[in-house]
Amino acid sequence: MKKNLKSFDFENKRVLIRADLNVPMDEGVISNDVRIRKSVPTIKYILDRGGSCIIISHLGRPKGKYVPEMSLKPVAERLQELLGYDVNFIADEKVVSEEVKKSIGELRGQFVVLLENTRFNPEEEANGEEFSKELCELADIYVNDAFGTSHRAHASNVGVSHCLPSAIGLLVEKEVDYLHESVKRPKSPFVVILGGSKVSDKIGVLENLIDKADKIIIFGAMAYTFFKAKGYETGKSLVEEDKIDIAKKILKKAEENSVDIILPEDTVVVSEIKSGADYQTVDSKNIPADKMGVDIGDKSIGRIEQELKNARTVIWNGPAGVFEIEEFSKGTFSVAKMLSELKGAVTIVGGGDSASAVEKSGYEDKISHISTGGGASLEMLEGKELPGIACIEEA
Ligand code: AMP
């Protein structure tokens, strides 16, 4: 087990918190502040116990250069509102410098500081030792609370663990509890639902969970590669030709392991993916040659509802269709509703799109866990060790 916040006495300590404040921005305005909200509990925990917080995060992909539009300044303002505590934003283009060290060194009493976007520094993504050492000089303890970047080994999340005592924060602890612990010993029936555009992104998850799941539901564009593997006509639907053999192997392995792989019985098809396009629902075995699948049909929705009825553990990652277009979002939003209504089941949602479908529907509080990490949550479900968590001291 990794050290967590309970492992340290924070009284009068300066704590370097790697948070994931990488929020979507629309012309300088934060369009979704979920990641900032989810970072608040760890900061509050440390403040409540007499510690000070020096928060670091990346935002976007400035690629080692100062890009004013990717400054964390708007994030500092939002964090201050959510925290109800002064957030001192230190706008240094290099993130940390002699002046930054001096001004933080001169702070007295409790404080919260947010440094500039770590990816402005070219050493961040290269995991440069100098940069992590400079960050370490600012604090006494390091806390990783940035789950979304834990699958990357960067200076601000892995490098800093080499020069400070370390722990995981509350957010990372919850992610590990759900994505690792509940999947290691799932309560049965365990149903895995995978969707989205690519089989290739989720092969690792399928391979890892095929031994543990009772049922695997596959929808979204991923399903069409499986349809092809079963010899169905897929028309113009998105198919990964080079993954058909893998899909065949997964179907065979599922049969050997007595795991049900459930593919959509019916599919909503169009000639062109656009809002207002004419659509119809067809049998999934016979998608017309000039059409492409964009959502699951009502029969499939009904079947999924049946399959989920008695489930005790459910993991969902990836939309059922092109849910960004309202006409093709029914499958995705229906699944969000079904999960929110399950009684007595552990429900875990990962991946930006499925998470946003749950949030948009207002079911956020009815899901056991919504992951803040896309790539990181997939890697964890693949059974991989994430460098940002592996580097933290053992308790
Ligand atoms: P992913 O990033 O792999 O989870 O995929 C998410 C994307 O898959 C979303 O942008 C959806 O619009 C897209 N998607 C889901 N179903 C389909 C489909 N049937 N055809 C094309 N794209 C799809």
Side-chain angles (χ1 to χ4, degrees):
M1 234 184 60
K2 295 292 172 187
K3 283 196 176 169
N4 58 24
L5 297 188
K6 292 198 186 82
S7 314
F8 290 95
D9 174 5
F10 291 107
E11 181 80 35
N12 294 324
K13 293 285 189 285
R14 295 181 168 211
V15 187
L16 183 72
I17 305 174
R18 175 48 161 112
D20 179 6
L21 306 175
N22 181 30
V23 288
M25 304 280 285
D26 190 2
E27 300 190 0
V29 179
I30 297 164
S31 50
N32 181 334
D33 66 2
V34 168
R35 284 184 163 163
I36 309 179
R37 288 176 185 278
K38 293 201 173 179
S39 301
V40 166
T42 289
I43 302 169
K44 277 208 165 127
Y45 182 103
I46 291 166
L47 285 173
D48 287 349
R49 283 154 186 82
S52 290
C53 303
I54 299 159
I55 305 164
I56 49 175
S57 174
H58 76 285
L59 178 72
R61 296 195 168 123
K63 299 198 170 132
K65 283 197 219 81
Y66 175 65
V67 179
E69 298 74 42
M70 292 182 193
S71 166
L72 280 170
K73 186 160 188 283
V75 172
E77 287 159 9
R78 187 78 191 107
L79 178 63
Q80 176 162 301
E81 283 165 23
L82 292 169
L83 202 56
Y85 200 97
D86 273 354
V87 174
N88 180 357
F89 178 61
I90 303 191
D92 192 292
E93 293 177 17
K94 284 183 285 186
V95 188
V96 59
S97 61
E98 288 313 313
E99 296 88 82
V100 173
K101 285 186 216 167
K102 190 163 170 275
S103 55
I104 293 181
E106 284 167 358
L107 291 173
R108 293 290 167 260
Q110 269 190 295
F111 62 83
V112 174
V113 157
L114 175 65
L115 300 186
E116 196 38 293
N117 187 344
T118 50
R119 288 195 188 165
F120 287 169
N121 190 312
E123 285 201 33
E124 163 68 331
E125 291 183 77
N127 195 2
E129 210 180 313
E130 270 315 302
F131 183 39
S132 27
K133 274 190 183 156
E134 287 197 294
L135 290 167
C136 287
E137 278 178 41
L138 305 173
D140 306 302
I141 300 166
Y142 161 56
V143 169
N144 181 15
D145 210 27
F147 180 71
T149 42
S150 287
H151 59 317
R152 307 271 180 239
H154 293 166
S156 70
N157 69 334
V158 170
V160 290
S161 73
H162 302 314
C163 40
L164 283 176
S166 57
I168 52 172
L170 298 172
L171 181 155
V172 170
E173 197 178 355
K174 186 168 181 246
E175 296 273 10
V176 174
D177 270 354
Y178 281 97
L179 295 168
H180 184 72
E181 299 301 329
S182 10
V183 172
K184 208 158 88 185
R185 280 178 283 277
K187 286 188 200 141
S188 192
F190 175 24
V191 183
V192 175
I193 311 173
L194 293 176
S197 59
K198 289 200 221 126
V199 179
S200 42
D201 287 351
K202 283 154 194 151
I203 291 170
V205 178
L206 277 166
E207 284 173 339
N208 186 39
L209 297 182
I210 210 157
D211 294 329
K212 302 185 177 84
D214 297 295
K215 286 172 188 165
I216 300 180
I217 297 169
I218 296 174
F219 54 29
M222 269 186 86
Y224 312 135
T225 304
F226 282 86
F227 286 169
K228 258 281 164 68
K230 290 181 115 198
Y232 299 180
E233 285 305 325
T234 54
K236 292 197 296 177
S237 306
L238 211 64
V239 169
E240 283 172 273
E241 297 289 340
D242 60 337
K243 296 292 175 295
I244 296 173
D245 279 346
I246 290 179
K248 282 184 185 161
K249 276 189 202 142
I250 290 170
L251 289 169
K252 188 158 171 267
K253 184 144 189 231
E255 211 176 309
E256 288 162 7
N257 287 11
S258 306
V259 176
D260 273 349
I261 293 218
I262 297 150
L263 295 167
E265 290 162 53
D266 54 351
T267 298
V268 176
V269 297
V270 291
S271 305
E272 205 186 335
I273 300 183
K274 61 171 192 194
S275 180
D278 272 345
Y279 60 89
Q280 63 189 111
T281 304
V282 300
D283 187 311
S284 296
K285 290 195 175 95
N286 295 305
I287 295 180
D290 59 342
K291 305 270 186 205
M292 63 184 93
V294 285
D295 196 10
I296 56 174
D298 287 343
K299 263 195 209 156
S300 310
I301 294 175
R303 170 87 192 269
I304 295 169
E305 197 161 14
Q306 284 304 313
E307 299 296 347
L308 287 177
K309 248 185 188 157
N310 303 314
R312 310 250 346 254
T313 309
V314 184
I315 291 185
W316 175 31
N317 188 308
V322 185
F323 81 115
E324 297 90 339
I325 299 177
E326 202 195 331
E327 297 97 304
F328 317 133
S329 66
K330 186 174 174 187
T332 303
F333 286 107
S334 302
V335 171
K337 186 161 189 283
M338 285 174 212
L339 256 63
S340 75
E341 287 170 349
L342 284 182
K343 300 270 177 294
V346 173
T347 46
I348 303 166
V349 177
D353 290 328
S354 350
S356 90
V358 169
E359 283 154 12
K360 268 192 200 147
S361 320
Y363 300 135
E364 212 179 331
D365 297 340
K366 298 198 170 101
I367 301 291
S368 316
H369 181 64
I370 302 178
S371 178
T372 51
S377 72
L378 283 177
E379 287 199 20
M380 197 151 241
L381 293 175
E382 284 171 21
K384 286 189 186 155
E385 194 172 53
L386 309 188
I389 298 173
C391 69
I392 301 298
E393 285 170 52
E394 291 294 327

